[in-house]
Amino acid sequence: MCIDGSHEVVGVRSNCGYRPAPSPRDPNVKVRFRTSLHNTVCDVMSSLDGWEETDSEMDWDLHWADVGWIREYYDLVQPKLHEHQRLNHFKNHYELTRKDLLIKNLKRMKKQQAKTYGNDLLVLSIGGRREVGVAAADFWSLTFVLPMEYGMFLEEFKRYPGAMWIMKPIGKAQGKGIFLFEKLSQISDWKKDHTWKSDGLQAKTSDTYIVQKYIQNPYTIGGAHVVNRACD
């Protein structure tokens, strides 16, 4: 349906313009993909009708690259890309995919929007309430990076006795290293396991974690946890 309410008919001129009928896919045209990840990613693309793998440096339609390749070659390759070519990562993607950097950028976004727009920022309906301005940007739970922000976390922890918290390593995926806790004694055990120094700093051999106030009633689809990811 068009914006003016008229119905758009495929292959027919309507009030919102002409939309040509789609032509059937040419079976002789192949989608050429390149990847160094010979796992499920490669298996799925290889199984698609009309898709074929290539090891060409630049003659491909889709390059499913690993993060190391993106870090080393993105700046060299990007200016040479044609309109139809796609990469699976964008530059500095880790600013969104690494958990500590994601929360850093969310907090920075909130400060910038509050400074620029004040209470005229935006209006959202949250749980039946209308939130205006900076309050509308609070769509993530309380989050701290450990061990650097342990002191701030401790203050918030004491404000919510009996609350559940969740720990996540900043650079892992698929639920690895994640655990729940509701007592500081459980954190003390974790600190020992992860070689914290007496001054509150973490040894270089240990992973940095984020800690978040656990959302007891999250939005789900079919009762399952949902992850949304965006790319350009």
Side-chain angles (χ1 to χ4, degrees):
M1 179 175 289
C2 304
I3 296 176
D4 62 3
S6 63
H7 288 274
E8 182 183 15
V9 180
V10 174
V12 178
R13 182 174 296 279
S14 65
N15 292 339
C16 59
Y18 181 81
R19 180 185 172 194
S23 57
R25 175 178 171 80
D26 186 344
N28 297 317
V29 176
K30 298 288 186 179
V31 176
R32 296 167 61 83
F33 71 90
R34 180 187 179 191
T35 182
S36 60
L37 304 173
H38 289 88
N39 49 23
T40 304
V41 170
C42 185
D43 293 341
V44 170
M45 291 192 290
S46 298
S47 67
L48 296 175
D49 184 34
W51 287 54
E52 64 179 12
E53 186 177 5
T54 178
D55 58 2
S56 172
E57 290 291 330
M58 288 301 299
D59 186 15
W60 40 261
D61 302 296
L62 169 65
H63 186 181
W64 197 284
D66 59 65
V67 294
W69 188 95
I70 293 292
R71 187 164 46 246
E72 187 171 356
Y73 295 109
Y74 183 92
D75 288 335
L76 298 175
V77 170
Q78 197 276 334
K80 303 177 183 178
L81 293 181
H82 296 288
E83 183 65 25
H84 70 281
Q85 292 182 298
R86 295 291 184 270
L87 286 166
N88 63 319
H89 289 290
F90 52 87
K91 188 178 181 180
N92 296 339
H93 60 91
Y94 50 83
E95 292 285 348
L96 296 179
T97 57
R98 221 179 77 175
K99 299 178 183 69
D100 59 332
L101 298 181
L102 171 62
I103 195 64
K104 178 200 72 174
N105 287 307
L106 286 173
K107 290 178 179 178
R108 184 170 63 181
M109 175 199 71
K110 180 180 177 180
K111 290 180 180 179
Q112 289 176 340
Q113 290 181 334
K115 182 178 180 180
T116 303
Y117 302 104
N119 288 334
D120 296 327
L121 174 58
L122 51 90
V123 177
L124 293 177
S125 177
I126 303 176
R129 305 187 314 275
R130 285 172 61 84
E131 300 286 1
V132 182
V134 177
D138 285 331
F139 57 85
W140 65 89
S141 60
L142 280 172
T143 306
F144 303 94
V145 180
L146 299 186
M148 289 76 75
E149 298 177 340
Y150 183 78
M152 290 187 289
F153 156 69
L154 190 58
E155 291 182 12
E156 290 296 328
F157 181 88
K158 293 177 180 178
R159 291 180 57 191
Y160 300 95
M164 185 70 71
W165 295 76
I166 185 169
M167 293 278 286
K168 306 175 185 178
I170 63 170
K172 295 183 179 180
Q174 301 175 336
K176 296 175 182 176
I178 294 177
F179 64 92
L180 299 173
F181 70 95
E182 55 186 4
K183 298 179 180 178
L184 284 178
S185 59
Q186 295 167 288
I187 287 289
S188 299
D189 294 339
W190 175 82
K191 287 166 62 176
K192 293 177 183 178
D193 292 340
H194 289 73
T195 59
W196 280 33
K197 297 179 181 179
S198 58
D199 58 3
L201 297 177
Q202 201 173 22
K204 292 182 179 180
T205 56
S206 177
D207 290 333
T208 300
Y209 272 63
I210 64 167
V211 58
Q212 295 178 304
K213 191 170 182 293
Y214 187 69
I215 300 175
Q216 298 282 3
N217 57 339
Y219 289 112
T220 61
I221 296 180
H225 172 67
V226 180
V227 176
N228 292 321
R229 297 186 182 273
C231 60
D232 63 349

